[in-house]
Amino acid sequence: MEPYYWDSQIEYLKKSAALYYNDDYIEFLINRVWKIDRPVRIVDFGCGFGHLGLRLLPILPLGSEYIGIDAGINLIEHAREIFRSLPYHTEFLVADFNTISFEEEFDLAVCHGVLLHMEDPMSTLKRMIASVKNEGKVIAFEPHWIGNNASFHFDGVDQSTVIPLGQLQELFERDLKRTGKDGNIGLKLPLYFSRLGLRDVQCRVSDKVNIYDPTAAGDAGVYEAMKFSNPGERSTFIKNLLERGMSMEQANRQYECEKTLSEIFTPSTAATYAAGMKITFGTVYRMILAEGSSPA
């Protein structure tokens, strides 16, 4: 059995999580938009180390419960360790959320950065819907990759020299056709939610803008979360892109862009980044038959 990839990415997941949200915006959603004023039971599909639990539980009404599901043994153990000393009702399960079944047990079903990795995200969404009680909510925090890539600014750098948006968009679109996995799913989810029968569907955009300015005692944590890895050995990198449908010219350009970006974005480079995470939500309404009646 192959190692579960995300089990080896815990530190990356913890660093990157800081880029996505302001806690006051999450509080606004809970109190003013979702209007959650009583304890709720939450199931998190693909919970990782429990990031959404850490975001939501301090703001939700006292007594709320959080159940996290992930296939990563290391991730679940790390989540249990984090929450062991926290005053919340939590449970973490090592399982494939695409095979486990819940029937109308939860007030909220949530996921974060999960659907973009699914070959059949609609199937996952159907399981999330099935897990929620009548008038409960399904909430998906998912990215729009090309929007993310367009939302960097590196001081003193022409952005097109390090992030070639046109060929990246083509790459993402080809990947979707080839694998079913969609890094641009965030802006499509409102339509998917509606087509699956959810009601009162809305989509919001996280208001977090990350600012790294070394001349003003910049936050080293922001830099560490934003910094880019060197693309590594050239021939291997280009071979992968050719297999994904890029031309040789495009693949070479992509390599040079990523190599340049890994070199120019140093602790002395000012930068801003608006991840613009898309937060889509809808309400489950099921037909409730009166006692003694039968379906038509």
Side-chain angles (χ1 to χ4, degrees):
M1 183 171 151
E2 290 187 7
Y4 184 63
Y5 173 77
W6 294 107
D7 263 345
S8 65
Q9 301 297 313
I10 293 174
E11 289 309 309
Y12 160 75
L13 292 171
K14 291 174 74 173
K15 287 178 183 177
S16 63
L19 298 174
Y20 300 129
Y21 310 103
N22 289 312
D23 288 336
D24 56 2
Y25 187 69
I26 299 297
E27 185 173 11
F28 164 76
L29 291 175
I30 288 172
N31 293 332
R32 299 291 299 276
V33 180
W34 301 330
K35 295 180 171 58
I36 299 173
D37 57 6
R38 59 179 178 78
V40 290
R41 294 191 75 224
I42 310 163
V43 59
D44 186 352
F45 283 65
C47 66
F49 65 90
H51 163 246
L52 278 182
L54 292 171
R55 289 278 183 195
L56 299 173
L57 286 170
I59 304 170
L60 286 166
L62 189 65
S64 293
E65 299 178 50
Y66 173 85
I67 290 81
I69 309 167
D70 203 285
I73 296 172
N74 293 345
L75 282 163
I76 290 296
E77 284 303 316
H78 195 70
R80 288 170 178 161
E81 184 62 31
I82 289 173
F83 281 86
R84 188 165 286 127
S85 60
L86 298 177
Y88 305 119
H89 300 290
T90 62
E91 181 180 357
F92 292 95
L93 308 175
V94 177
D96 178 354
F97 55 74
N98 279 319
T99 60
I100 196 168
S101 294
F102 297 106
E103 294 298 328
E104 302 183 30
E105 297 181 35
F106 299 95
D107 302 291
L108 306 177
V110 302
C111 67
H112 184 279
V114 166
L115 298 175
L116 79 160
H117 298 296
M118 298 292 101
E119 295 178 2
D120 184 7
M122 295 295 266
S123 176
T124 303
L125 282 171
K126 288 175 183 177
R127 286 185 176 275
M128 293 176 71
I129 291 169
S131 74
V132 172
K133 300 173 185 176
N134 193 48
E135 299 189 17
K137 292 187 183 301
V138 175
I139 306 171
F141 301 73
E142 295 285 338
H144 182 233
W145 271 354
I146 199 63
N148 292 41
N149 279 275
S151 297
F152 285 99
H153 168 70
F154 304 99
D155 194 35
V157 178
D158 290 334
Q159 311 308 303
S160 60
T161 65
V162 290
I163 304 179
L165 293 173
Q167 68 183 43
L168 281 174
Q169 178 76 322
E170 292 174 0
L171 181 68
F172 301 153
E173 291 169 352
R174 283 194 300 267
D175 282 347
L176 171 59
K177 293 173 183 176
R178 184 172 57 88
T179 69
K181 299 177 182 180
D182 188 359
N184 288 328
I185 198 169
L187 273 179
K188 301 174 185 178
L189 284 175
L191 300 178
Y192 294 171
F193 275 38
S194 181
R195 290 166 186 169
L196 288 171
L198 291 169
R199 304 280 295 278
D200 307 322
V201 174
Q202 294 187 45
C203 183
R204 300 297 178 100
V205 180
S206 171
D207 66 347
K208 181 68 175 283
V209 177
N210 299 281
I211 302 167
Y212 178 71
D213 185 357
T215 68
D219 183 350
V222 174
Y223 170 76
E224 287 297 321
M226 287 179 60
K227 74 177 181 180
F228 299 85
S229 300
N230 186 287
E233 204 275 323
R234 187 185 193 103
S235 61
T236 302
F237 183 89
I238 288 177
K239 180 175 181 288
N240 173 266
L241 291 180
L242 293 176
E243 291 173 351
R244 293 169 65 187
M246 272 192 173
S247 68
M248 180 61 77
E249 180 183 0
Q250 289 176 321
N252 275 295
R253 184 186 179 199
Q254 190 65 38
Y255 180 85
E256 292 299 331
C257 286
E258 295 195 25
K259 183 172 181 291
T260 300
L261 185 51
S262 72
E263 294 169 347
I264 62 99
F265 185 46
T266 69
S268 61
T269 306
T272 54
Y273 171 50
M277 186 68 79
K278 309 304 182 288
I279 307 166
T280 303
F281 50 94
T283 304
V284 174
Y285 285 109
R286 298 186 177 92
M287 182 181 297
I288 306 297
L289 297 174
E291 186 175 352
S293 65
S294 60

